[in-house]
Amino acid sequence: MNQELAEVIKIYSTGTHQELSGYLIGKSKDTIIGMLVDLLTMYINDKNSSTIREFITVTFAGYKHVEKKIGYNGFKQDTFVSGKTIKCEAKPKNVDTNSKPLRKLNGGGNFTDYTFERLEKDKKEKDLSMLISGFVDGKLIYILEFLFVYPEFIKHLEEQLQYRFGNEKRTSGQFLRSANFDYKYFIDCSNLKIIYLLSKDKLEKYKPYIVRDFYKFLEEKAK
């Protein structure tokens, strides 16, 4: 970590607002820019928190980000129906190119601690949008949007829940720890939207970090 940034974090967490302001005022513009870039790099690549990647995904798609952990990740007002709110669920993934083994982007995501009850709740939100985004070392590659109620997508989640619980009644505290999916379960959705995608020449740089068939799809859509 940048030593200047380390000192700023120390003062912020132990000192006063005046002490922090006094420290920063004495720094050059280039030093402050360097600290900010280092802080953003750390935050956007954080393996233990996807908050900033979630924020980027939601706001790029035109939704207002909701910071609380429980519930949907964003909402916006319906432009056609007064007073109606459209919700979204964001699933950002980031590839660390230095990680071993390397896990490539596949248009995937997962629902943590999923249940049949949660699935039924999500299905009732007829306009619930899924926002699927991919990053490589913090660089945004794509954002895709489709409706949660797409039949193939729901079927895949149902199959995982059925495998986990069978015909047994779920008891309190029992969950499917990770209901996962990838591009294969929404790629043919008729209302799939490309919210953001790198240009074709820039996308090529990240080809080694995207699974083959998914890369072909993105390449066809890129301009």
Side-chain angles (χ1 to χ4, degrees):
M1 181 190 295
N2 181 306
Q3 290 305 307
E4 294 283 2
L5 176 58
E7 186 64 22
V8 166
I9 292 172
K10 179 181 177 182
I11 296 172
Y12 179 86
S13 59
T14 61
T16 65
H17 177 74
Q18 289 76 14
E19 288 173 328
L20 179 60
S21 296
Y23 182 82
L24 290 173
I25 287 173
K27 302 301 175 184
S28 69
K29 182 174 69 174
D30 287 344
T31 297
I32 292 176
I33 290 173
M35 287 190 289
L36 178 59
V37 169
D38 282 356
L39 183 61
L40 286 171
T41 300
M42 288 171 54
Y43 192 17
I44 204 167
N45 285 294
D46 189 347
K47 291 182 174 65
N48 299 311
S49 173
S50 62
T51 301
I52 193 169
R53 297 189 294 272
E54 181 183 287
F55 173 82
I56 292 167
T57 302
V58 168
T59 54
F60 254 90
Y63 293 82
K64 181 175 176 59
H65 185 237
V66 176
E67 294 184 6
K68 62 181 182 180
K69 294 295 182 183
I70 299 175
Y72 299 118
N73 303 128
F75 68 92
K76 65 181 178 181
Q77 299 304 314
D78 193 312
T79 55
F80 301 105
V81 181
S82 178
K84 182 180 179 182
T85 300
I86 300 174
K87 302 179 181 68
C88 70
E89 182 82 13
K91 299 298 179 185
K93 288 292 181 181
N94 184 52
V95 168
D96 178 355
T97 57
N98 293 316
S99 65
K100 298 288 188 290
L102 181 66
R103 296 185 177 180
K104 299 182 179 183
L105 293 173
N106 64 356
N110 71 283
F111 295 86
T112 304
D113 294 344
Y114 213 51
T115 63
F116 277 114
E117 292 86 348
R118 170 66 191 278
L119 175 61
E120 291 304 312
K121 175 180 180 294
D122 291 340
K123 286 162 63 175
K124 289 177 181 177
E125 292 284 349
K126 299 297 184 182
D127 296 317
L128 174 63
S129 281
M130 292 297 301
L131 299 176
I132 314 302
S133 59
F135 298 75
V136 175
D137 291 336
K139 174 73 173 181
L140 179 61
I141 309 300
Y142 60 82
I143 302 175
L144 309 177
E145 181 176 15
F146 65 93
L147 289 178
F148 178 89
V149 293
Y150 178 57
E152 287 299 314
F153 185 72
I154 288 178
K155 179 183 177 183
H156 181 60
L157 297 178
E158 287 176 336
E159 288 174 345
Q160 292 177 80
L161 287 167
Q162 187 65 35
Y163 182 80
R164 168 64 177 86
F165 297 111
N167 296 318
E168 297 179 4
K169 182 177 176 60
R170 186 182 72 86
T171 60
S172 178
Q174 285 187 319
F175 306 95
L176 171 59
R177 290 305 175 192
S178 179
N180 57 69
F181 61 89
D182 60 35
Y183 75 96
K184 294 189 294 292
Y185 302 101
F186 63 80
I187 207 72
D188 294 322
C189 181
S190 60
N191 64 14
L192 181 64
K193 299 177 183 177
I194 308 294
I195 301 300
Y196 179 89
L197 180 59
L198 286 180
S199 61
K200 189 170 295 187
D201 59 326
K202 292 180 180 178
L203 183 65
E204 187 177 8
K205 174 183 175 182
Y206 298 96
K207 185 175 181 178
Y209 311 111
I210 306 173
V211 297
R212 186 185 60 185
D213 289 346
F214 185 49
Y215 178 82
K216 288 180 180 178
F217 166 79
L218 294 176
E219 186 180 38
E220 289 172 1
K221 299 296 182 181
K223 297 179 180 179

